[in-house]
Amino acid sequence: MDPSFWDNRARGLGATDSAPVSTGGEENLLCLQNDRYHSEDIYLHEFAHGVANLGARYGISGWFQRLENQYKTAKQQGLWAHTYSMSSSAEYFAEGVQSFFNVNDYSATPNGIHGPISTRDKLRTYDPALYQLIEENPPSSYSFELLLIDLWQQDKKPESFIIENGLRRVMEALADYKSIKVEFFEYYYECMKQKHTEPYIIDPVNPYSNVLDETHFDWSAVASHAKKYLEKAHMKIAISGFCS
Ligand SMILES: [Zn+2]
């Protein structure tokens, strides 16, 4: 392997199982003039590979197969012809993510790499199924943060705690997610409390919003991952609780 060749050839790489980190060239991140991909966010492209390979693939059941199927359908329909998107399902997704965030290159006619579909609006109408796949929301980190804060408050808000014990507490709650009932009243009056069906984590600044919304995401998949995680050796010896 010739390092100088690869230094030129690949100015960013997406995370994989064997190398679980995405990389990007500083010239791209800093929008320097010497960037070969000056009109594109290549780091976002590589990051999207990582999200697909290591996140959605394992975290959202059936997601990877749906991407594969959608890629084949798009190819049969002649979508994205003569562009990099059609080189593999992985590139189909990563290029789509670039367009979704309006940071893809544009070519009025497909030039083998890019074509005219380079923005979110165009993507939405040109390939709605891909748009849907990208837009699909995994549970936001916000819902996990709120759950963690609630459990920590329940355990009397210790200023320091052993991380494994806190993690075990959170994983146990996720494993039994159907019983989660989290509400905060710091930012609105209790009379604004809404009737929510369980499970719920209510946004502290919006009593109408349940961020543990089962209609948008398969929380049972999160629960089954949490159960598996609890079987790990360092979880088995941990004590459940935010206490030192
Ligand atoms: Zn790529």
Side-chain angles (χ1 to χ4, degrees), residues 22-83:
S22 294
T23 65
E26 63 174 351
E27 70 282 5
N28 189 250
L29 288 162
L30 299 175
C31 301
L32 303 181
Q33 285 301 324
N34 64 349
D35 182 11
R36 255 176 45 209
Y37 307 102
H38 196 58
S39 55
E40 296 180 75
D41 189 334
I42 290 298
Y43 184 69
L44 177 71
H45 177 108
E46 306 306 342
F47 186 73
H49 281 316
V51 167
N53 288 337
L54 302 183
R57 178 181 203 153
Y58 296 113
I60 305 175
S61 92
W63 187 90
F64 208 74
Q65 193 54 51
R66 278 190 286 136
L67 171 64
E68 289 289 317
N69 295 346
Q70 180 47 35
Y71 168 66
K72 281 181 198 144
T73 305
K75 200 160 204 166
Q76 281 161 7
Q77 291 172 338
L79 296 178
W80 310 101
H82 311 297
T83 70

Side-chain angles (χ1 to χ4, degrees), residues 12 14 45-46 49 84 87-88 90-92 94-95 98:
H45 177 108
E46 306 306 342
H49 281 316
Y84 193 49
S87 50
S88 67
E91 301 307 343
Y92 173 60
E95 288 289 312
Q98 275 186 264

Side-chain angles (χ1 to χ4, degrees), residues 165-185:
N165 295 351
L167 194 55
R168 182 171 176 95
R169 179 92 156 99
V170 174
M171 288 297 157
E172 282 176 351
L174 289 172
D176 183 27
Y177 82 100
K178 287 273 185 194
S179 315
I180 293 177
K181 288 191 284 179
V182 174
E183 268 178 295
F184 300 88
F185 293 106

